[in-house]
Amino acid sequence: MNMSTDILARVADVLESRLPANGGNLESSYVARLLHKGPDAFLKKIGEEATETVMAAKDVDAGADKTKLVYEVADLWFHTMVALTHYGLRPEDVVAELARREGISGIEEKASRPAG
Ligand SMILES: N=c1c2ncn([C@@H]3O[C@H](COP(=O)(O)OP(=O)(O)OP(=O)(O)O)[C@@H](O)[C@H]3O)c2ncn1[C@@H]1O[C@H](COP(=O)(O)O)[C@@H](O)[C@H]1O
């Protein structure tokens, strides 16, 4: 693993420790509270952060600096990682899927799908 995937794995370890089953502390942990509230709460956050990402990208198109876009994508990745944690998945699963797709053109992949 490299530095980028190391940080994803370390954050995922912390997120797992916040699961209700692992005694996540509702007093001190934002993640424990979000996981405790359940899917509706963190899936709503993913929708919000995706929208904020789109808005930040449009701001870059209009001349704004790119820092806000990085913040919003970090918020989006973080909240998707909370969802992965709830569903018993890891960022390594997503990285493995991207690795599987590496070098396969999207156009080629779509054309090879069964008709119908
Ligand atoms: N990467 C993050 C991270 N990114 C964003 N956030 C929090 O996500 C929350 C939502 O952000 P918003 O700007 O949408 O805030 P808001 O509108 O006030 O939030 P809502 O009340 O609508 O949910 C804020 O409280 C942010 O601080 C994060 N909280 C935690 N982490 C990671 O998760 C770890 C565990 O966090 P805790 O469980 O809180 O200790 C941390 O050590 C970090 O590594």
Side-chain angles (χ1 to χ4, degrees):
M1 285 214 284
N2 61 30
M3 200 178 72
S4 310
T5 46
D6 280 353
I7 180 67
L8 295 178
R10 285 201 303 276
V11 171
D13 289 344
V14 174
L15 302 188
E16 275 176 27
S17 77
R18 305 311 201 227
L19 282 164
N22 295 332
N25 187 330
L26 297 176
E27 291 296 314
S28 60
S29 164
Y30 169 78
V31 175
R33 288 182 194 184
L34 200 49
L35 288 168
H36 176 78
K37 286 181 192 164
D40 283 357
F42 54 74
L43 297 177
K44 181 166 173 253
K45 289 301 294 180
I46 292 173
E48 288 172 12
E49 303 303 351
T51 302
E52 284 168 23
T53 296
V54 171
M55 284 161 38
K58 294 305 289 178
D59 287 347
V60 172
D61 286 338
D65 87 82
K66 298 176 184 174
T67 315
K68 183 89 192 306
L69 179 56
V70 172
Y71 285 165
E72 296 302 347
V73 172
D75 281 349
L76 178 60
W77 286 18
F78 163 69
H79 284 91
T80 60
M81 286 176 66
V82 172
L84 288 175
T85 301
H86 171 84
Y87 294 110
L89 291 165
R90 299 269 313 178
E92 292 91 326
D93 296 312
V94 180
V95 170
E97 175 59 15
L98 288 171
R100 188 190 67 76
R101 295 180 189 182
E102 190 176 15
I104 303 171
S105 156
I107 294 172
E108 192 185 313
E109 184 277 328
K110 210 165 175 177
S112 72
R113 287 181 197 169

